[in-house]
Amino acid sequence: MTASAARDPRQALGRNPDRLTLEERTALAGKMVALEVYTPATFPFRRIEAIGDSTDSCIRMLQERGLDPRRFEYSPLGPAY
């Protein structure tokens, strides 16, 4: 059995927020997520690159992964509906 993002938020990394299951979205509602800022030069996919309880925790996660926190937007993950 694979772990889901509902049990381990790091499982949501690299996934589109709209593709999370209802169970995962409910469990992660209220968490902050970092998504790469859109620019015509980068044209990023909407993928969760960091997730945590605060913007600071997202920034730390991005830095641990070697990513530049200035290239991301931070927003709370809302409920599925």
Side-chain angles (χ1 to χ4, degrees), residues 14 16-17 35-38 42-49:
N16 184 311
L35 304 168
E36 190 171 5
V37 173
Y38 170 82
T42 61
F43 190 66
F45 296 105
R46 285 192 44 88
R47 291 188 302 236
I48 297 171
E49 295 295 344

